[in-house]
Amino acid sequence: MSQQTHPEDDHAKLIKLAPSTALPGYSDGLQAAYAHTPEEWRAHALRIARYLAGTGKPFTVRDFKTYGLPDPEVQQQWGSIIAAMRQKQIAHQIGWTGAPIKSGDISAVRVWQGL
């Protein structure tokens, strides 16, 4: 009698998700980005998220840089930190704002506030 596996189990093994880095309910891409983010960068980002959330003031991802977080190796890692912040109930989205980008255009940026 063979043991039946679930496709989710095979996929988790493929992208090497450990329970400590899994973000259930989020896309495989976000989970993979989070799992493969250097642990030190991830921990630093979450410390900043907790600090910003604790102020009670609205904040954006751009504020993370103000507190010394360097750009990640891969841009998708920003999204994975936001997903982790939501998963851990550190903050929730309260709106949007515009932020200038290198081309001179304005990009929509989510605004967060601590829970």
Side-chain angles (χ1 to χ4, degrees):
M1 184 175 204
S2 68
Q3 185 177 5
Q4 193 173 25
T5 62
H6 295 272
E8 305 87 40
D9 296 337
D10 293 337
H11 191 69
K13 289 176 189 172
L14 178 65
I15 60 175
K16 297 180 178 132
L17 293 178
S20 63
T21 58
L23 297 171
Y26 287 92
S27 73
D28 294 340
L30 269 178
Q31 292 197 58
Y34 189 71
H36 295 286
T37 297
E39 187 175 338
E40 185 177 306
W41 189 90
R42 187 173 55 228
H44 188 190
L46 289 174
R47 278 192 303 274
I48 292 170
R50 285 185 182 96
Y51 172 78
L52 290 169
T55 69
K57 298 177 183 176
F59 63 94
T60 71
V61 176
R62 291 174 176 256
D63 293 315
F64 285 62
K65 290 183 176 186
T66 303
Y67 288 93
L69 187 67
D71 282 327
E73 296 171 359
V74 179
Q75 288 300 309
Q76 289 80 352
Q77 290 170 339
W78 281 120
S80 75
I81 286 300
I82 295 304
M85 183 177 72
R86 292 175 85 174
Q87 176 99 32
K88 296 173 185 303
Q89 298 184 342
I90 295 170
H92 68 285
Q93 183 180 342
I94 61 168
W96 294 88
T97 191
I101 56 176
K102 290 179 185 177
S103 69
D105 290 333
I106 300 293
S107 177
V109 177
R110 294 174 190 225
V111 178
W112 304 93
Q113 191 166 34
L115 292 172

